[in-house]
Amino acid sequence: MEKLFPKLQIINENGEWNDETYRSEITEELTKELYKKMLRSRLFDRKGVNLQRQGRIGTYVPFEGQEASQIGSALAMGEGDWMFPTYRDHAATMTFGHSLKTLFLYWKGRQEGCIPPEGKNIFPPAVPIASQLLHATGTAWAEKLKGTDRASIVYFGDGATSEGDFHEGLNFASVFNAPVVFFNQNNGFAISVPIEKQMKSKTIAQKAVAYEMEGVRLDGNDVFAVYFHTRTAVERARKGEGPTLIESVTWRYGAHTTADDPSKYRDQNESATRREKTDPILRLERFMKNENIWDEKWAEELHESLTAEIEAAVKEMEETPAPHYNDVFDHVFAENPWPIESQKEAYAHSRGDR
Amino acid sequence: MTTAVDTKKLTMVQAVTDGMRVMMKEHENVIVLGEDVGQNGGVFRATDGLVSEFGEKRVIDTPLAESGIIGTSIGLAMNGFKPIAEMQFLGFIYPAFNQIMTHASRIRARTLGHFTVPMVIRAPFGAGVRAPEIHSDSVEALFTGMPGMKVVVPSNPYDAKGMLISAIEDPDPVLFLEPMRCYRSTKMDVPEGKYNVPLGKAARLQEGSDVSVFAYGAMIDVVTKAAKSAEEKGIKCDVIDLRTLYPLDKDMIAESVQKTGRAVIVHEAPGTGGLGETIMSLINDTSFLYMKAPVERVTGFDTPVPMFALEDHYLPSADRVVQAIEKVTQF
Ligand SMILES: Cc1ncc(C[n+]2csc(CCOP(=O)(O)OP(=O)(O)O)c2C)c(N)n1
């Protein structure tokens, strides 16, 4: 099965060409855009971990190491398409339009963090594993019924493929030929459980076979591979050729969340090695150096301006006024039924507010 | 009695681990399974050390699938094992709801006792620890309303170990709910060996004649504080930790309200369909003529538990409980 589903690559770990199919499209502009987006998300992510350590936000879910998977795939989506992220996919959602402030607000325990910008179809992060695959299938199906050419992309981890919802999502998408891209980030672990304990199959891509859909396995740390192969899947979906299951093989360097200690269940030296060998940002840097489009000054300035952008977002997040308790009550239904209305009144009364 | 029992100071989560360890030592057929329960020792460390002591055949990291965990546990339980299945958080039990509702809880009834499912489902739950969305749900009433399930909620380390042992020994499926807020909030002397705290029995935490206050789990801390404030105002509370939510300790509830004539019920789960309503109907059935005031409830709202920036508003506070106590005494 590993032979049937090889790990597709466009540039290798040393930043050298492996597949030149898309050479003409891999411009300096695109390369720099991808580099910028990956660096932006990495700096954001590190800030998130720091803010949690300082007690300025709650539990945070880091994605460092998975930037290429998230950004390459998100960039392959178009205006009006749908995105269904998990709790770990802020690099994807910021690429698709979420503001950094909104993302920080989410981790500050604010409901506002679930609201996408006007015109962006980004669902709130899925917290229960695999539940979102069916929503992506449903929205994609709706677009098909409405006769548009819009597609949906849905993110999920390797652990998610064990849930019933994963299989139901793929099966429905297949039966109804829904224009959806199932984007799996195989980062090797579901909290502490390594993929070998999660499933006996060697790849996730092969699970597509059972549902008679396209299955693609790719190097998830090669942003070009992710971008172009996801784009192909999206195009296929738009043309009515059905769903695709993409397995993007990557790695999370750090903890599952800031509440987790990875040294309990794996040797963190592996992460250190990977930082040097397969890091997605470093790989792009190597590529840019090989292609003579690397500019030290440009990189430094980029770093500075991104840092400033992130600091500004933190400030905005921290200056957002505390929410009013009426937010607990006022959005459960379109109109408050009497039990909620009377609980709301009683609560205000108990505080001496009414 | 003069026999001294060796004790250890344990937190609630350590007491839970100890309960499992004692029973696994004693019974070969007791196994632990769930997500991350092995090497990682569970995300709350509730199964810490069990895999090194009992091996991977008895402490099993399963694939990430709650319906799978419960469904296979049903099979294991029907065929000679005593599974203790961990749900990582109660808020993630929903994929398994079908298995619990349609099978675990009713196989005995469907087969007139021919097949049974003696298993334990452990799940951390409740708000107040700044957890992310969904992790804080208090949906115990979904299970107390499920025919064929026992539901228990300890509030301290001693009860946690003794009740877990009773749950493991119970011939029927037991949902064992562990309030996250109590996991590490106190240490307590816990006997080292095996002991039972019986299921179905409440505990009186404080004797008082003016008003009965009923609570369980993390709300015990809140009502204890409230009872103290009330005492400063001259109101003496009879504080009862319900401990088992199905079946409720009807006798102690009746005995208490017949003494005080007043009741306040506190839980963080939503008011509508919550345990408070069941307790009110019990009071109505057993003690209507003793009551001097309508029963008051202080509960969570009929809303999803909000994200943590708002969760303090959602959770019943000692202030709200004191107000309810004053209301029933001034009626
Ligand atoms: C239904 C459900 N069960 C359990 C959990 C607790 N949990 C959160 S993340 C996680 C592991 C997920 O692993 P994977 O799907 O590989 O995604 P990753 O976190 O690696 O991105 C678990 C078990 C959950 N969120 N939802």
Side-chain angles (χ1 to χ4, degrees):
Chain A
M1 277 296 174
E2 280 167 297
K3 280 207 190 98
L4 278 177
F5 295 94
K7 214 158 72 174
L8 305 176
Q9 216 179 38
I10 290 178
I11 56 172
N12 68 19
E13 283 77 7
N14 301 321
E16 294 151 355
W17 289 98
N18 193 354
D19 169 3
E20 305 210 7
T21 314
Y22 301 96
R23 187 162 191 142
S24 63
E25 288 189 68
I26 300 181
T27 59
E28 177 172 346
E29 197 193 348
L30 175 68
T31 306
K32 284 189 161 170
E33 183 62 18
L34 289 169
Y35 184 88
K36 178 183 161 181
K37 286 191 156 55
M38 285 203 282
L39 185 62
R40 181 174 183 246
S41 68
R42 178 161 294 184
L43 295 174
F44 173 93
D45 196 54
R46 290 188 176 166
K47 189 74 195 177
V49 173
N50 281 336
L51 290 173
Q52 189 281 331
R53 291 207 180 115
Q54 295 164 9
R56 290 156 75 186
I57 57 174
T59 305
Y60 175 78
V61 181
F63 56 76
E64 189 168 341
Q66 302 184 207
E67 292 90 348
S69 288
Q70 294 192 22
I71 286 156
S73 56
L75 211 64
M77 303 309 292
E79 209 60 43
D81 286 339
W82 291 82
M83 179 174 282
F84 294 83
T86 75
Y87 47 80
R88 199 186 299 286
D89 300 314
H90 353 311
T93 58
M94 73 174 75
T95 303
F96 203 52
H98 254 314
S99 74
L100 304 189
K101 172 191 167 186
T102 302
L103 293 171
F104 280 134
L105 279 174
Y106 183 78
W107 296 109
K108 207 178 177 212
R110 294 287 299 258
Q111 224 70 64
E112 292 84 344
C114 287
I115 309 169
E118 196 63 40
K120 297 284 179 194
N121 296 322
I122 307 174
F123 214 63
V127 176
I129 303 297
S131 49
Q132 73 279 19
L133 274 76
L134 287 150
H135 311 150
T137 299
T139 53
W141 185 7
E143 295 294 351
K144 186 184 156 192
L145 293 174
K146 291 197 284 186
T148 74
D149 70 346
R150 290 175 174 178
S152 298
I153 187 165
V154 54
Y155 293 91
F156 54 99
D158 39 289
T161 64
S162 293
E163 290 278 7
D165 279 357
F166 165 83
H167 300 277
E168 297 183 25
L170 263 63
N171 191 45
F172 268 64
S174 159
V175 167
F176 297 107
N177 206 43
V180 51
V181 177
F182 294 101
F183 194 87
N184 170 258
Q185 286 172 87
N186 176 358
N187 63 9
F189 282 85
I191 309 188
S192 71
V193 179
I195 187 139
E196 306 79 57
K197 280 188 174 180
Q198 192 68 242
M199 63 191 71
K200 204 164 174 184
S201 52
K202 294 281 187 302
T203 76
I204 286 168
Q206 75 193 61
K207 293 173 194 280
V209 174
Y211 300 101
E212 198 74 28
M213 68 168 74
E214 281 293 316
V216 179
R217 187 162 202 255
L218 47 82
D219 181 340
N221 292 341
D222 172 4
V223 70
F224 294 127
V226 178
Y227 172 64
F228 288 104
H229 291 297
T230 309
R231 202 182 67 178
T232 304
V234 179
E235 280 162 5
R236 197 160 44 231
R238 289 198 207 292
K239 280 189 278 186
E241 291 167 15
T244 305
L245 171 63
I246 296 177
E247 173 185 0
S248 186
V249 183
T250 181
W251 184 263
R252 78 165 140 84
Y253 291 141
H256 168 71
T257 72
T258 51
D260 166 59
D261 171 13
S263 66
K264 287 271 297 184
Y265 52 81
R266 72 182 193 192
D267 180 2
Q268 276 299 95
N269 284 328
E270 172 77 16
S271 277
T273 313
R274 282 173 186 263
R275 272 183 196 283
E276 280 161 32
K277 283 183 86 168
T278 60
D279 184 73
I281 301 184
L282 195 58
R283 181 181 316 196
L284 205 56
E285 187 178 321
R286 286 176 182 145
F287 173 76
M288 289 165 85
K289 283 176 177 159
N290 292 345
E291 298 289 306
N292 289 320
I293 53 173
W294 179 256
D295 176 347
E296 205 65 52
K297 190 157 168 276
W298 169 81
E300 256 170 47
E301 282 171 11
L302 185 64
H303 206 284
E304 267 170 40
S305 71
L306 292 173
T307 305
E309 183 195 358
I310 290 161
E311 289 303 329
V314 172
K315 190 156 180 272
E316 277 185 81
M317 175 267 284
E318 294 194 323
E319 285 173 355
T320 305
H324 193 277
Y325 58 75
N326 280 348
D327 281 354
V328 174
F329 303 99
D330 287 346
H331 307 280
V332 184
F333 293 97
E335 208 173 300
N336 268 349
W338 72 262
I340 295 185
E341 198 51 36
S342 70
Q343 289 169 354
K344 177 178 160 183
E345 268 171 36
Y347 185 63
H349 187 73
S350 78
R351 295 170 51 93
D353 289 355
R354 213 168 284 169
Chain B
M1 280 227 307
T2 51
T3 44
V5 184
D6 283 337
T7 62
K8 256 192 290 193
K9 281 227 179 293
L10 298 182
T11 60
M12 182 193 274
V13 69
Q14 289 168 331
V16 166
T17 317
D18 211 39
M20 286 188 275
R21 181 180 293 120
V22 166
M23 292 305 279
M24 289 183 84
K25 252 192 184 148
E26 196 159 301
H27 303 283
E28 274 281 303
N29 66 339
V30 175
I31 58 173
V32 167
L33 71 168
E35 294 154 13
D36 303 286
V37 299
Q39 195 54 37
N40 202 29
V43 292
F44 288 102
R45 306 283 171 260
T47 52
D48 216 12
L50 294 183
V51 73
S52 50
E53 193 171 345
F54 299 103
E56 291 196 357
K57 276 205 174 130
R58 294 185 64 198
V59 183
I60 306 145
D61 274 331
T62 65
L64 206 179
E66 291 73 13
S67 181
I69 295 166
I70 299 300
T72 55
S73 290
I74 290 170
L76 286 157
M78 280 172 47
N79 200 8
F81 285 86
K82 185 82 193 191
I84 307 174
E86 177 178 293
M87 295 285 105
Q88 211 153 63
F89 290 85
L90 185 63
F92 300 138
I93 203 171
Y94 309 123
F97 194 83
N98 176 33
Q99 286 292 344
I100 305 172
M101 182 67 174
T102 58
H103 296 295
S105 65
R106 67 174 89 192
I107 283 172
R108 182 186 289 276
R110 287 175 65 214
T111 62
L112 301 180
H114 184 78
F115 289 115
T116 63
V117 182
M119 65 186 278
V120 178
I121 305 170
R122 294 181 36 248
F125 82 122
V129 297
R130 284 163 64 86
E133 294 180 277
I134 326 277
H135 291 69
S136 305
D137 287 13
S138 273
V139 287
E140 57 271 25
L142 297 181
F143 300 93
T144 54
M146 185 183 271
M149 284 300 291
K150 289 185 182 165
V151 181
V152 304
V153 187
S155 70
N156 63 60
Y158 181 90
D159 285 353
K161 179 172 169 183
M163 286 166 70
L164 183 56
I165 289 170
S166 298
I168 296 167
E169 288 181 336
D170 198 279
D172 285 305
V174 179
L175 179 63
F176 191 85
L177 297 173
E178 300 165 11
M180 282 186 265
R181 249 212 293 186
C182 302
Y183 261 158
R184 296 187 170 84
S185 58
T186 43
K187 280 199 170 188
M188 206 172 182
D189 282 329
V190 174
E192 290 204 346
K194 188 184 148 202
Y195 66 94
N196 290 80
V197 173
L199 307 187
K201 293 277 175 236
R204 178 175 272 109
L205 302 183
Q206 184 182 314
E207 182 88 43
S209 50
D210 295 327
V211 49
S212 304
V213 180
F214 300 105
Y216 53 91
M219 286 298 114
I220 291 301
D221 187 44
V222 173
V223 301
T224 306
K225 287 192 181 111
K228 221 168 161 194
S229 311
E231 182 134 25
E232 285 158 17
K233 297 175 182 176
I235 306 167
K236 294 202 178 62
C237 297
D238 210 41
V239 181
I240 310 278
D241 180 352
L242 293 166
R243 297 198 295 196
T244 296
L245 307 186
Y246 196 93
L248 283 163
D249 188 344
K250 176 177 158 203
D251 293 343
M252 190 180 275
I253 293 169
E255 187 233 309
S256 176
V257 294
Q258 289 176 12
K259 174 177 70 182
T260 63
R262 301 179 182 90
V264 171
I265 305 160
V266 183
H267 58 69
E268 67 175 85
T272 300
L275 254 282
E277 295 182 346
T278 309
I279 297 164
M280 283 169 94
S281 75
L282 257 182
I283 293 173
N284 191 55
D285 290 350
T286 59
S287 317
F288 182 70
L289 293 176
Y290 294 82
M291 299 310 285
K292 300 174 192 152
V295 177
E296 274 293 309
R297 284 178 300 150
V298 183
T299 69
F301 310 121
D302 292 4
T303 70
V305 182
M307 288 177 77
F308 68 76
L310 284 166
E311 82 181 341
D312 286 346
H313 292 294
Y314 177 90
L315 281 170
S317 62
D319 276 353
R320 279 173 65 201
V321 177
V322 173
Q323 288 175 14
I325 291 171
E326 289 182 323
K327 191 168 169 193
V328 294
T329 47
Q330 288 159 15
F331 180 76

